[in-house]
Amino acid sequence: MASKERTTVEQKIKEQLSVEEAKQILFDMIRIRELEEASAQQYSEGKIRGFLHLYIGEEPIAATILPLLKPQDQFFGTYREHAHALMKGITARSIMAEMFGKVEGCSKGRGGSMHIFDLSKSFYGGNAIVAGHLPLAIGMALANKMQKNDLISICFFGEGAIAEGEFHESMNMAKLWKLPVLFVCENNYYAMGTALERSESQTNLIEKAKSYKVEAKRVNGRNVAEIKEAAKQAIDFVRSEQQPYFLEAQTYRLVAHSMFDSQQYRSKEEVEYWKKHHDPIAEYIHQLKCLGWVNSNEIKEMQDKAKTEMDDAISYAQAGTTEDFQSCMQDVLIGEY
Amino acid sequence: MASKERTTVEQKIKEQLSVEEAKQILFDMIRIRELEEASAQQYSEGKIRGFLHLYIGEEPIAATILPLLKPQDQFFGTYREHAHALMKGITARSIMAEMFGKVEGCSKGRGGSMHIFDLSKSFYGGNAIVAGHLPLAIGMALANKMQKNDLISICFFGEGAIAEGEFHESMNMAKLWKLPVLFVCENNYYAMGTALERSESQTNLIEKAKSYKVEAKRVNGRNVAEIKEAAKQAIDFVRSEQQPYFLEAQTYRLVAHSMFDSQQYRSKEEVEYWKKHHDPIAEYIHQLKCLGWVNSNEIKEMQDKAKTEMDDAISYAQAGTTEDFQSCMQDVLIGEY
Amino acid sequence: MEKTTYRQALHDGLYDTLKSDPKTFLIGEDVGRYGGSYAVSKGMLQEFGEERIKDTPLSESVFTGLGIGAAMGGMHPIVEIMTCNFALLALDQITNNAGTLRHMSGGQITIPLVIRISTGAGRQLAAQHSHSWEGWFSHIPGIKIISPATVTDARYMLQAAVKDPNPVLLFEQAALYNMEGNLEDVREVDISKARVLKEGSDISFITYGASVYKCLEAAEELEKLKVSAEVIDLRSLRPLDMPTILTSVTKTHRALIVDEGWRSGSLSAEIAARISEECFYELDAPVLRVCSEEIPMPYAKELEQKSMPQTSSILQAAKESLHGGY
Amino acid sequence: MEKTTYRQALHDGLYDTLKSDPKTFLIGEDVGRYGGSYAVSKGMLQEFGEERIKDTPLSESVFTGLGIGAAMGGMHPIVEIMTCNFALLALDQITNNAGTLRHMSGGQITIPLVIRISTGAGRQLAAQHSHSWEGWFSHIPGIKIISPATVTDARYMLQAAVKDPNPVLLFEQAALYNMEGNLEDVREVDISKARVLKEGSDISFITYGASVYKCLEAAEELEKLKVSAEVIDLRSLRPLDMPTILTSVTKTHRALIVDEGWRSGSLSAEIAARISEECFYELDAPVLRVCSEEIPMPYAKELEQKSMPQTSSILQAAKESLHGGY
Ligand SMILES: Cc1ncc(C[n+]2csc(CCOP(=O)(O)OP(=O)(O)O)c2C)c(N)n1
Ligand SMILES: Cc1ncc(C[n+]2csc(CCOP(=O)(O)OP(=O)(O)O)c2C)c(N)n1
Ligand SMILES: [Mg+2]
Ligand SMILES: [Mg+2]
């Protein structure tokens, strides 16, 4: 990053964040990274199975946006949602136990990595049909609006979801019916192995959103201050105007799509470049250090704390139990059937 | 219509059409109108059943565009397709027999009004899942492109179809893959009883098409010369550039959506206004008369000829037979099963 | 007993539901200004206003999913999908969301949603507007499926469905909208039970929806031949009321299932399989089925009628069962 | 006999098909640069180029419909839908177009299309990635449905499907991709026939796909008890090869159907119903079924395994059939 640019970034941090806030976000980013690395580790040890999608490289988005919500604002996310779950206040224990398939997990171990749900935190998944949760989010927004409860729903999805008909129908209905929903598109430029330019004829996603007359803004998903500023405005807009909003956060997935992915579709060099130059945690640490807002000791402390949290989560998950099969036969319908 | 405007319209006719062509289009519009009125009549006599969707008020679009195609260019349309069928060269006899449910009909009487098919005329329906035929049309375009046969596919649909996810996915893929398909949106401002502004947050359909980077143009669907000019350009563009194109023709359905529709959603005055001032056949006749290109005798002749054609079609349909049930059990799969 | 039509009964049931439960609202294509494609919601927009009678764009997948989301948010949405033929566009939402989210979330999510869908042939609407897919959809765990055959059920099933905390698909029988019938003197109905519409001792006709009347007609014909057929209206297709079915078959020892769905993989297959599993040794003859022909529904009247179960084909199958045509 | 894996066999079959029929091309999500989500099409992009190996956007409905349209235009497209769980998004196209257009147009339209779809549980992918819906989809007239269980079928079924002038859905068994097996010395297979994988005289196991191996295992166990089970691999789910099934049941007088689909409304129901209809008097016991539990598939390994048919549950059901547990 050019030094001029860097100054601007730091300027913006000072403008948008208090030292406390800035450090909290850093800590949360570190927690997310630790959670993801712990998950990868547990996957390789066979404790976590199925699909596992990591958020490494995308941390600033969830770490910055989620804390801006009211606790009761409803979140709808994808299968790449550990970070969002953690940020919405679900404990690492509960998340890890879920990934271990234990009944102590927030979804009783029925869902695993892709299906984290915790209604006490207004966390509605963990949805694994790409774009299938967008209609749920706008429906929730309608319920909020009809009940005048001043809540908004927030819906995260990847840029790959935009090609689905559900995106189109949801954007249109959200705008037509003035639904208070914040769409957050995490544009990491790949949907599995399909690059954005092979998935969208119009790669300017803001233009796409605007074609529904939905307000839209793009942010650099590695720039915490920029994300915060835009997300705050967006959330306020959605809540006060009772209208949808589309926020694009440009980012890069530094790891494979899932543990099954051998990444034939992008070069090692490309990934290495991003890892080396644009690891968002390293970038952010650098910025805060330049500002003199954190020092290496504090960072070490944060890392240790996060590691301890994740170690504890793993022990908790490890000690958990599998749901009884008879119990697992419940909850298909309510009542006798 | 203001007289200044009228002059321009007539100017344009002279620019775009020969006298012969202009008269042929008028004759075709009259034929369509007669076909539709005959159908309504036969419906009221119980000879035609099921859903019957008429094209009255929209005649200039099919009458002008379809003759510009090569005979082998493949047409995909909706349930409101009698006119297009006639223009693509299917006989009124064949259409009427189909609507009578007779085996002499182009689809053997299995399809009725909504499902006219005739592959010898490259006429691929008659499709009644709104927007469900768009993917077929782009698939056909891909087949044409891969076979380098210099054909294009042309796909008609109403503005209501734009809200479906299939529209979104089709536009995107057509542009991404540079498919030679002409989309023609007949925007009659209502989808059954739902007005455009309640079905689209962005009512400017050209903007919608352009959001996929698809070339797009709007025409007045009552202005024959304007339609011809734009359609010709569009067809040439699709064929030579091997790219999709979106043509919107603004129009008005002067009759009910189908024979079941009591038109609660629009006022009698609105419909009367359009009938009185904007019946496209009356308008066009007026224009051609002003130009001195037709006289009342010729028009009368055209009407008589069209009536005769439709009477003959009805007699033919009436004399037809119902398909044998054993035969109707065929064609589910090819071969034994 | 009051006379009414199936359509009017549905209309009145909808009206009462909207009137009594402020959390309900109706969404779907043309439910408002058009008055509902089958006129069931005629006048509702004027009565309840735009907030509660919501015309949607043509977006089956998303307005269905929106209903699911609103139900998760504590409302009691009533979604209308014009016909089951278009419901395939919403089947991902119905299956992967409505039918799945409660279980997958460990029992946290509740979806008090009703989806009204018209179904069935007989009106010459051809292959993209005429199928009966309610039996097909009854494969999906996590949803209930009901379908009224009588005006009484048409009148009260919706209210029961709205009170049910589960996603309920209510299939309206397109062929019955104009049917007149006697409204029974009840204020509510139980949607979990099948109903014996006619008692009999020699053979059990198991059916639902529009085919009920064909079965009753066939049963009447059989009376003339001194054969006593029992006619069961299933009412609920998922879950199935097996006790009522098994009690009947255990009594009559013969079963004939009449189902307007395509034969292979229809609901009739499931019922036949269960009867064989659960009371095989009570059966005096194989369980038989009368279903629709496995072709896309043809338009021509005669062909359409021949493709569907008819009183005559029911009679013929019944005779086969009774006399052992094998 | 050559050893190969199910995945490799599918890969080789796909390769040969693309090589031998210039009208074929492969489209779907990540079939190209990613190499196929299950690596079946790995290397194909490099071999056949972008014209014939086409990565699509996430648009299941439209790329499936596009395949139908291209087939109507004379090509032989091979569409890949990653898993059947996402195929609901394309079910309108499959049913209302692929399965309908030929008949509805009076026999004019031909759709030589193949859709490859992976299916099945066992990999802890939970409720939105694990279901077996091929049996459910086999309700649709106008399409064929096949599913290879052996490496030989994995190798040659695609070629047969591409040669078939009808729309064919080919379901790949996700649980078998890594399975090794002996490739038989054949050059083609007939996709219309079921296959007796093991002959037996006391009971018929009727199954397909991954459950085939559980049935074979159960049959082996039964041998120890001097019970001889016949194992039939259906191979084609629509149409069903009834002669092979009925011949077997007429011989063994007992039938057990093993189907990884949810029990109610599964293919197993149809087969059970047909067996009862067509050879009721040959049956010494009710036709039994071992299916998946009717719940969205849970993630936890133990729960997932308990939800699916297993050798033990097959054995138990077989014993019930043999000893009359009723
Ligand atoms: C409807 C559907 N189609 C395909 C898939 C398989 N799939 C899972 S994630 C994914 C890529 C999604 O990419 P994007 O939306 O950009 O999100 P990202 O994974 O990059 O965060 C695909 C194709 C799916 N889960 N659902
Ligand atoms: C998927 C689907 N949803 C609903 C319908 C019922 N329907 C038939 S025509 C129609 C209106 C379509 O309007 P538009 O696309 O504007 O075409 P128009 O009839 O005005 O020519 C509707 C809702 C259908 N046939 N298919
Ligand atoms: Mg992405
Ligand atoms: Mg319209």
Side-chain angles (χ1 to χ4, degrees):
Chain A
M1 207 182 279
S3 103
K4 172 97 178 295
E5 212 184 309
R6 182 174 305 139
T7 330
T8 331
V9 172
E10 281 134 32
Q11 209 77 50
K12 188 130 208 151
I13 291 178
K14 286 209 277 191
E15 230 175 81
Q16 292 295 327
L17 302 159
S18 70
V19 177
E20 274 325 290
E21 262 181 300
K23 284 162 92 170
Q24 181 62 44
I25 291 174
L26 175 59
F27 180 47
D28 283 335
M29 282 163 60
I30 290 172
R31 288 173 69 221
I32 294 169
R33 178 70 57 95
E34 290 297 332
L35 172 61
E36 295 300 59
E37 287 183 344
S39 303
Q41 177 61 29
Q42 293 306 308
Y43 189 91
S44 71
E45 292 180 18
K47 302 289 185 183
I48 298 176
R49 296 280 81 186
F51 285 145
L52 180 70
H53 307 87
L54 302 179
Y55 198 62
I56 291 174
E58 312 189 18
E59 295 91 343
I61 308 168
T64 308
I65 298 178
L66 276 281
L68 300 172
L69 296 171
K70 289 191 189 181
Q72 296 93 333
D73 286 341
Q74 301 97 346
F75 172 92
F76 293 81
T78 71
Y79 45 85
R80 196 184 300 286
E81 88 288 30
H82 313 155
H84 313 76
L86 198 64
M87 288 301 96
K88 200 84 171 70
I90 308 181
T91 62
R93 284 183 164 199
S94 180
I95 296 168
M96 194 59 78
E98 186 56 38
M99 292 198 276
F100 273 55
K102 301 297 177 70
V103 71
E104 291 79 6
C106 48
S107 308
K108 295 192 183 163
R110 295 180 190 169
S113 159
M114 298 199 288
H115 302 302
I116 292 173
F117 285 86
D118 187 343
L119 267 57
S120 73
K121 307 292 180 194
S122 291
F123 194 85
Y124 287 85
N127 297 278
I129 303 294
V130 169
H133 60 306
L134 274 63
L136 304 179
I138 69 170
M140 183 62 81
L142 176 63
N144 288 334
K145 187 170 187 135
M146 291 182 90
Q147 292 170 99
K148 300 193 173 61
N149 60 14
D150 206 34
L151 298 178
I152 70 168
S153 68
I154 181 165
C155 183
F156 277 68
F157 50 88
E159 87 296 340
I162 288 180
E164 294 280 9
E166 279 60 28
F167 170 81
H168 174 70
E169 298 181 6
S170 294
M171 291 292 281
N172 184 41
M173 286 195 69
K175 180 65 193 183
L176 264 178
W177 291 11
K178 301 190 172 53
L179 301 178
V181 54
L182 174 57
F183 296 110
V184 181
C185 177
E186 297 176 320
N187 175 7
N188 60 13
Y189 290 96
Y190 288 95
M192 286 185 60
T194 301
L196 177 59
E197 68 265 24
R198 273 184 292 272
S199 122
E200 288 299 333
S201 59
Q202 167 58 281
T203 53
N204 181 332
L205 304 181
I206 298 304
E207 289 304 314
K208 289 205 81 72
K210 286 194 173 157
S211 77
Y212 303 92
K213 293 195 168 174
V214 169
E215 292 290 319
K217 196 173 167 68
R218 174 183 303 125
V219 294
N220 174 346
R222 296 189 321 280
N223 187 322
V224 169
E226 198 181 316
I227 299 171
K228 156 124 198 242
E229 182 182 25
K232 207 179 156 325
Q233 274 172 14
I235 290 169
D236 289 350
F237 175 87
V238 172
R239 206 182 307 275
S240 63
E241 301 297 317
Q242 294 281 298
Q243 286 269 11
Y245 195 102
F246 177 93
L247 189 66
E248 174 193 356
Q250 297 187 326
T251 179
Y252 192 83
R253 152 164 73 65
L254 293 175
V255 291
H257 168 74
S258 76
M259 306 308 275
F260 284 105
D261 170 13
S262 58
Q263 303 193 65
Q264 309 284 320
Y265 51 85
R266 58 182 185 183
S267 68
K268 283 218 173 64
E269 292 70 38
E270 175 184 322
V271 180
E272 278 318 306
Y273 166 82
W274 282 89
K275 273 194 185 157
K276 191 158 165 205
H277 298 287
H278 294 305
D279 180 324
I281 299 188
E283 280 185 355
Y284 188 49
I285 286 176
H286 188 82
Q287 291 153 13
L288 295 191
K289 276 188 175 168
C290 286
L291 284 166
W293 285 14
V294 286
N295 60 42
S296 298
N297 273 348
E298 287 172 299
I299 291 164
K300 177 77 173 56
E301 222 169 80
M302 287 181 188
Q303 280 165 338
D304 291 346
K305 219 170 136 191
K307 271 205 181 65
T308 309
E309 182 183 0
M310 301 315 149
D311 286 346
D312 166 72
I314 290 168
S315 307
Y316 178 82
Q318 187 60 51
T321 52
T322 305
E323 188 184 16
D324 172 72
F325 189 63
Q326 279 321 306
S327 152
C328 179
M329 291 292 295
Q330 302 304 308
D331 301 325
V332 179
L333 289 173
I334 302 171
E336 274 172 63
Y337 50 94
Chain B
M1 206 183 280
S3 104
K4 171 99 177 293
E5 211 183 309
R6 183 173 308 139
T7 329
T8 330
V9 172
E10 281 134 32
Q11 208 79 51
K12 187 132 209 149
I13 291 176
K14 286 209 276 189
E15 233 173 79
Q16 292 296 327
L17 302 160
S18 71
V19 178
E20 274 325 290
E21 261 182 299
K23 284 163 94 170
Q24 181 62 43
I25 291 175
L26 174 59
F27 179 48
D28 282 335
M29 283 164 60
I30 290 172
R31 289 172 69 219
I32 295 170
R33 179 70 55 96
E34 289 298 331
L35 172 61
E36 295 299 61
E37 287 182 345
S39 303
Q41 178 61 28
Q42 293 306 309
Y43 189 91
S44 73
E45 292 180 18
K47 301 288 185 184
I48 298 175
R49 296 280 82 188
F51 285 144
L52 180 70
H53 307 87
L54 303 178
Y55 198 62
I56 292 176
E58 313 189 18
E59 295 90 343
I61 308 168
T64 308
I65 298 178
L66 276 281
L68 299 173
L69 296 171
K70 288 191 189 180
Q72 297 92 332
D73 287 339
Q74 302 96 346
F75 172 93
F76 294 81
T78 72
Y79 44 85
R80 196 184 300 288
E81 88 288 32
H82 313 155
H84 313 75
L86 199 63
M87 288 302 96
K88 200 85 172 68
I90 308 180
T91 63
R93 284 183 164 200
S94 180
I95 297 168
M96 194 60 77
E98 186 55 39
M99 293 199 274
F100 273 55
K102 301 296 177 71
V103 71
E104 291 79 6
C106 49
S107 308
K108 295 192 184 164
R110 297 179 188 170
S113 158
M114 298 199 288
H115 302 302
I116 292 173
F117 285 85
D118 187 342
L119 265 58
S120 73
K121 306 292 179 194
S122 291
F123 194 86
Y124 287 84
N127 296 278
I129 303 294
V130 170
H133 60 305
L134 274 63
L136 303 179
I138 69 169
M140 184 62 81
L142 175 63
N144 288 336
K145 186 170 188 136
M146 291 181 89
Q147 292 170 101
K148 300 194 174 58
N149 59 14
D150 206 35
L151 298 178
I152 70 169
S153 68
I154 180 165
C155 182
F156 277 68
F157 50 88
E159 87 297 337
I162 289 180
E164 294 281 8
E166 278 62 28
F167 170 80
H168 174 70
E169 299 181 5
S170 294
M171 291 291 281
N172 185 42
M173 286 194 69
K175 180 64 193 183
L176 265 177
W177 290 11
K178 301 192 172 48
L179 301 178
V181 53
L182 174 57
F183 297 110
V184 181
C185 177
E186 298 176 319
N187 175 8
N188 61 12
Y189 290 96
Y190 289 95
M192 285 185 62
T194 302
L196 177 59
E197 67 266 23
R198 274 184 292 273
S199 123
E200 287 300 332
S201 60
Q202 167 59 279
T203 53
N204 181 332
L205 304 181
I206 298 305
E207 290 303 315
K208 291 205 80 74
K210 287 194 173 157
S211 77
Y212 303 91
K213 294 196 166 171
V214 169
E215 292 291 319
K217 195 174 168 68
R218 174 183 303 124
V219 294
N220 175 345
R222 298 189 319 281
N223 186 322
V224 169
E226 197 180 317
I227 299 171
K228 157 127 197 239
E229 181 182 25
K232 206 180 156 327
Q233 274 172 14
I235 290 168
D236 288 348
F237 175 87
V238 171
R239 206 181 308 274
S240 63
E241 302 297 316
Q242 293 281 298
Q243 287 269 9
Y245 194 102
F246 177 94
L247 189 65
E248 173 192 357
Q250 296 187 327
T251 180
Y252 192 83
R253 152 166 72 66
L254 292 174
V255 291
H257 167 74
S258 77
M259 307 308 275
F260 284 105
D261 172 12
S262 58
Q263 303 194 64
Q264 307 286 319
Y265 50 85
R266 59 182 185 182
S267 67
K268 284 217 173 61
E269 292 70 37
E270 176 183 321
V271 180
E272 278 317 308
Y273 165 83
W274 281 89
K275 274 194 183 156
K276 193 158 164 204
H277 299 286
H278 294 305
D279 180 324
I281 298 187
E283 281 185 356
Y284 189 50
I285 287 177
H286 189 82
Q287 291 153 14
L288 295 191
K289 277 190 175 169
C290 286
L291 284 165
W293 286 14
V294 287
N295 60 41
S296 299
N297 273 350
E298 287 172 298
I299 292 166
K300 177 78 175 52
E301 222 169 81
M302 287 181 188
Q303 281 165 338
D304 290 345
K305 215 168 139 195
K307 273 204 181 66
T308 309
E309 182 183 0
M310 301 314 149
D311 286 345
D312 166 72
I314 291 168
S315 309
Y316 178 81
Q318 187 60 49
T321 50
T322 305
E323 188 183 17
D324 171 71
F325 189 63
Q326 279 320 308
S327 152
C328 180
M329 290 293 294
Q330 302 304 308
D331 300 325
V332 179
L333 290 174
I334 302 171
E336 273 173 64
Y337 50 92
Chain C
M1 284 204 293
E2 199 188 317
K3 268 210 177 300
T4 187
T5 63
Y6 187 85
R7 175 183 284 109
Q8 186 65 40
L10 287 167
H11 173 278
D12 295 349
L14 181 58
Y15 181 93
D16 284 356
T17 305
L18 288 163
K19 203 82 190 172
S20 63
D21 181 349
K23 289 187 168 177
T24 55
F25 59 97
L26 178 68
I27 65 176
E29 289 157 16
D30 291 310
V31 296
R33 287 161 188 83
Y34 191 95
S37 54
Y38 292 101
V40 170
S41 53
K42 203 167 162 179
M44 301 282 173
L45 176 63
Q46 293 68 26
E47 180 71 27
F48 297 103
E50 291 205 2
E51 279 297 296
R52 295 185 64 204
I53 306 293
K54 299 174 101 64
D55 280 325
T56 66
L58 276 125
S59 301
E60 286 80 2
S61 179
V62 163
F63 71 70
T64 302
L66 180 149
I68 300 168
M72 287 161 63
M75 301 300 290
H76 296 168
I78 302 169
V79 170
E80 175 180 319
I81 300 178
M82 275 190 191
T83 88
C84 66
N85 306 271
F86 318 147
L88 295 184
L89 293 166
L91 199 59
D92 169 61
Q93 288 297 324
I94 292 172
T95 310
N96 283 320
N97 282 340
T100 299
L101 283 167
R102 179 174 182 80
H103 187 271
M104 184 168 82
S105 67
Q108 297 180 76
I109 289 176
T110 304
I111 305 172
L113 167 73
V114 178
I115 307 181
R116 295 174 45 226
I117 312 178
S118 79
T119 185
R123 303 164 69 238
Q124 289 190 255
L125 301 181
Q128 292 180 331
H129 280 71
S130 299
H131 294 120
S132 295
W133 289 339
E134 55 281 5
W136 195 23
F137 292 1
S138 72
H139 184 54
I140 309 165
I143 61 169
K144 291 187 176 181
I145 298 190
I146 56 178
S147 188
T150 64
V151 294
T152 306
D153 277 344
R155 180 75 172 77
Y156 297 108
M157 267 191 175
L158 178 67
Q159 271 163 287
V162 165
K163 283 185 191 142
D164 195 289
N166 298 295
V168 180
L169 273 54
L170 188 156
F171 283 86
E172 301 179 1
Q173 299 281 326
L176 300 183
Y177 282 121
N178 294 327
M179 178 190 72
E180 266 215 344
N182 290 317
L183 197 61
E184 295 161 53
D185 192 21
V186 296
R187 285 287 156 270
E188 58 178 21
V189 296
D190 175 357
I191 52 171
S192 72
K193 295 266 176 297
R195 183 170 176 188
V196 177
L197 288 184
K198 172 184 172 305
E199 295 202 18
S201 52
D202 299 330
I203 184 169
S204 302
F205 290 170
I206 300 158
T207 190
Y208 69 93
S211 299
V212 155
Y213 299 97
K214 296 174 181 171
C215 285
L216 286 170
E217 222 173 85
E220 219 170 281
E221 284 296 310
L222 286 175
E223 291 292 338
K224 297 180 194 158
L225 308 173
K226 305 267 181 280
V227 172
S228 159
E230 180 146 308
V231 179
I232 297 177
D233 174 9
L234 289 169
R235 302 176 70 250
S236 172
L237 311 191
R238 185 176 185 103
L240 284 167
D241 175 7
M242 285 313 293
T244 299
I245 296 171
L246 296 176
T247 303
S248 175
V249 178
T250 306
K251 176 174 68 176
T252 62
H253 307 292
R254 288 171 204 276
L256 174 67
I257 307 158
V258 181
D259 179 344
E260 212 183 289
W262 290 312
R263 184 185 188 90
S264 293
S266 63
L267 183 67
S268 72
E270 178 60 28
I271 298 171
R274 289 203 199 172
I275 291 174
S276 291
E277 279 159 6
E278 301 185 35
C279 62
F280 181 73
Y281 299 104
E282 294 287 346
L283 289 172
D284 285 347
V287 179
L288 296 186
R289 301 183 282 162
V290 176
C291 302
S292 283
E293 295 293 345
E294 300 190 38
I295 56 174
M297 192 57 77
Y299 161 73
K301 182 169 188 152
E302 199 184 312
L303 304 178
E304 180 182 38
Q305 290 299 320
K306 283 193 177 150
S307 304
M308 299 165 59
Q310 300 295 355
T311 308
S312 57
S313 50
I314 296 167
L315 265 176
Q316 193 186 323
K319 288 176 189 166
E320 212 171 277
S321 170
L322 289 156
H323 308 305
Y326 280 72
Chain D
M1 283 203 292
E2 199 190 317
K3 267 209 178 300
T4 188
T5 63
Y6 188 85
R7 175 184 285 109
Q8 187 65 39
L10 288 166
H11 172 278
D12 295 348
L14 181 58
Y15 181 93
D16 284 355
T17 305
L18 288 163
K19 204 82 191 172
S20 63
D21 181 349
K23 289 187 168 178
T24 55
F25 58 97
L26 178 68
I27 65 175
E29 291 158 15
D30 291 310
V31 295
R33 287 160 190 86
Y34 191 95
S37 54
Y38 292 100
V40 170
S41 51
K42 204 166 161 179
M44 300 282 173
L45 176 63
Q46 292 69 24
E47 180 70 26
F48 297 103
E50 291 206 0
E51 279 298 294
R52 296 186 63 204
I53 307 294
K54 300 173 100 63
D55 281 323
T56 65
L58 276 125
S59 301
E60 285 81 1
S61 179
V62 163
F63 71 69
T64 302
L66 179 148
I68 301 168
M72 287 161 63
M75 300 300 291
H76 295 167
I78 302 169
V79 171
E80 174 181 319
I81 299 178
M82 276 191 189
T83 88
C84 67
N85 306 271
F86 319 147
L88 295 184
L89 293 166
L91 198 58
D92 168 61
Q93 288 298 324
I94 293 172
T95 311
N96 283 321
N97 283 342
T100 299
L101 283 167
R102 180 173 181 80
H103 187 272
M104 184 168 84
S105 67
Q108 296 180 76
I109 290 176
T110 304
I111 305 172
L113 168 73
V114 178
I115 308 181
R116 295 173 46 226
I117 312 179
S118 79
T119 185
R123 303 165 71 237
Q124 289 191 253
L125 300 181
Q128 292 180 332
H129 280 71
S130 300
H131 293 122
S132 295
W133 289 339
E134 55 281 6
W136 194 24
F137 292 1
S138 73
H139 184 54
I140 309 165
I143 61 170
K144 291 187 176 181
I145 298 189
I146 56 177
S147 189
T150 64
V151 294
T152 306
D153 277 344
R155 180 75 172 76
Y156 296 109
M157 267 191 174
L158 178 68
Q159 271 163 287
V162 166
K163 282 185 193 144
D164 195 290
N166 297 294
V168 180
L169 274 53
L170 188 156
F171 284 84
E172 301 177 2
Q173 300 282 326
L176 299 184
Y177 282 121
N178 294 327
M179 180 189 73
E180 267 214 342
N182 290 318
L183 197 60
E184 295 160 54
D185 192 20
V186 296
R187 284 288 157 269
E188 59 178 20
V189 296
D190 175 356
I191 53 171
S192 73
K193 295 267 174 297
R195 181 170 177 188
V196 178
L197 288 184
K198 173 188 172 301
E199 294 202 18
S201 52
D202 299 329
I203 184 168
S204 303
F205 291 169
I206 300 157
T207 190
Y208 69 93
S211 298
V212 155
Y213 299 96
K214 296 173 181 172
C215 285
L216 286 170
E217 222 174 85
E220 219 170 281
E221 284 295 310
L222 286 176
E223 291 292 337
K224 298 180 194 158
L225 308 174
K226 307 267 180 279
V227 172
S228 159
E230 179 145 309
V231 179
I232 298 177
D233 174 9
L234 289 169
R235 302 176 69 251
S236 171
L237 312 190
R238 183 175 186 102
L240 284 167
D241 174 8
M242 286 313 293
T244 299
I245 296 172
L246 296 176
T247 303
S248 176
V249 178
T250 305
K251 175 173 69 174
T252 62
H253 308 293
R254 289 169 204 275
L256 174 66
I257 307 158
V258 181
D259 179 345
E260 211 182 290
W262 290 313
R263 185 186 188 89
S264 294
S266 62
L267 182 68
S268 72
E270 178 60 27
I271 298 171
R274 290 204 200 173
I275 292 174
S276 291
E277 279 160 7
E278 300 185 36
C279 62
F280 182 72
Y281 300 103
E282 293 288 346
L283 289 172
D284 285 346
V287 179
L288 295 186
R289 301 183 282 162
V290 176
C291 301
S292 283
E293 295 292 346
E294 299 189 38
I295 56 174
M297 192 57 77
Y299 161 72
K301 181 169 188 150
E302 199 184 312
L303 304 178
E304 181 182 39
Q305 290 299 320
K306 282 193 178 152
S307 303
M308 299 163 60
Q310 299 296 354
T311 307
S312 57
S313 50
I314 296 167
L315 265 176
Q316 195 187 322
K319 288 177 189 166
E320 214 172 273
S321 171
L322 290 155
H323 307 307
Y326 278 69

